Amino acid sequence: MKNEYSVSVIARIYNGFHEKFGIPRQSGLVPAVRSTIVFEEPYRVREALRGLEGYSHIWLLWQFSDCADAPWHPTVRPPRLGGNRRVGVFATRSPFRPNAIGLSSVVLNSIEERKDVGPVLHVSGADLMDGTPIFDIKPYIAYTDSHPNAVSGFAQAFADYALQVHCPPELLKVVSPDLQQTLLDLLAQDPRPSYQHDANRIYTMDFDQYTICFKVIENILLVTDIHCGQRDRGENL
């Protein structure tokens, strides 16, 4: 029996997450996050998507590209547990796995046919970094994929976790109106590593073409500065 198999990158996702810091920890946590999926050659074939428009959600199977060559660990320290408690890697969604593969459920908003790159998927709620390679796309089927009575282990304790975000109006005005609520929702998820609780520390997060500076005191996140950088939204499209 074979121990190794090869897979092909069929597409890449593009959004405003140019680094890991600030990306939602799970898909669906920030529904307002919009992303675009562009297929690679030779998968820019409209017929391959025939019927997909009838689904509201899709599964993405993708590569943790930033740590694809990192060694796997039988136990890991999930950030939500403060970084000081180890659990088995298969009880987590840590990227440090035998195969650095991620799985995300996202909303399929529309399918656009473009002359330059062929069919493009517009999705929301993704937790992938800009440029992440995608191995496969499958339809989400509600009557088999949804399990309302499922038990979520230690992750259940953080289902409703969120910070209160205070952003001065004059700073929020720097951000494009269509991204303001998305940014506030991202910050409410607390981008910090869970083991860092220094109330005087200023954290910096990049999103889209903006750099956001903030600090956290107890359960309140205070935005201290926002400025526009050099990146343009959709520059890779």
Side-chain angles (χ1 to χ4, degrees):
M1 182 178 293
K2 292 176 63 176
N3 290 326
E4 293 186 1
Y5 295 84
S6 62
V7 294
S8 299
V9 176
I10 67 164
R12 292 183 185 274
I13 195 167
Y14 298 101
N15 49 37
F17 298 117
H18 301 289
E19 60 181 17
K20 291 187 294 184
F21 189 82
I23 297 178
R25 287 184 169 88
Q26 305 291 343
S27 59
L29 282 179
V30 185
V33 170
R34 298 299 181 102
S35 303
T36 302
I37 296 174
V38 179
F39 288 89
E40 300 280 293
E41 293 284 6
Y43 307 105
R44 296 175 176 177
V45 181
R46 185 63 179 88
E47 287 77 10
L49 301 176
R50 185 183 300 167
L52 191 63
E53 69 277 358
Y55 294 89
S56 63
H57 295 68
I58 55 176
W59 289 106
L60 304 179
L61 191 67
W62 49 277
Q63 171 86 60
F64 285 102
S65 50
D66 258 20
C67 53
D69 298 324
W72 80 283
H73 302 286
T75 62
V76 295
R77 297 184 293 180
R80 282 301 189 207
L81 294 180
N84 53 19
R85 174 184 166 190
R86 286 192 172 273
V87 297
V89 65
F90 297 127
T92 75
R93 296 185 175 183
S94 167
F96 301 106
R97 329 181 63 77
N99 297 297
I101 295 174
L103 179 68
S104 299
S105 173
V106 299
V107 176
L108 176 61
N109 296 312
S110 64
I111 303 175
E112 176 190 6
E113 185 69 31
R114 290 179 43 172
K115 293 182 179 180
D116 54 345
V117 293
V120 170
L121 305 184
H122 297 281
V123 302
S124 57
D127 56 342
L128 287 70
M129 190 166 67
D130 191 273
T132 292
I134 295 174
F135 293 143
D136 202 4
I137 295 170
K138 299 179 185 293
Y140 178 98
I141 302 175
Y143 68 85
T144 58
D145 294 349
S146 176
H147 304 280
N149 298 319
V151 178
S152 300
F154 67 83
Q156 186 62 46
F158 304 97
D160 300 320
Y161 177 83
L163 296 175
Q164 299 179 42
V165 179
H166 291 180
C167 182
E170 64 273 15
L171 290 180
L172 192 58
K173 288 180 180 179
V174 175
V175 180
S176 173
D178 64 315
L179 290 178
Q180 290 179 4
Q181 189 58 53
T182 302
L183 174 60
L184 295 177
D185 292 345
L186 287 170
L187 293 172
Q189 291 298 314
D190 194 354
R192 302 173 302 162
S194 295
Y195 53 85
Q196 293 184 358
H197 299 283
D198 184 353
N200 295 315
R201 178 168 179 171
I202 301 295
Y203 297 87
T204 300
M205 183 182 87
D206 288 336
F207 173 61
D208 201 85
Q209 54 186 311
Y210 306 100
T211 298
I212 302 94
C213 301
F214 65 90
K215 61 181 179 180
V216 179
I217 303 174
E218 296 183 350
N219 69 330
I220 297 176
L221 185 149
L222 176 63
V223 177
T224 59
D225 191 21
I226 299 177
H227 61 267
C228 188
Q230 298 300 314
R231 290 189 176 111
D232 292 324
R233 205 166 11 150
E235 63 182 2
N236 292 307
L237 301 183

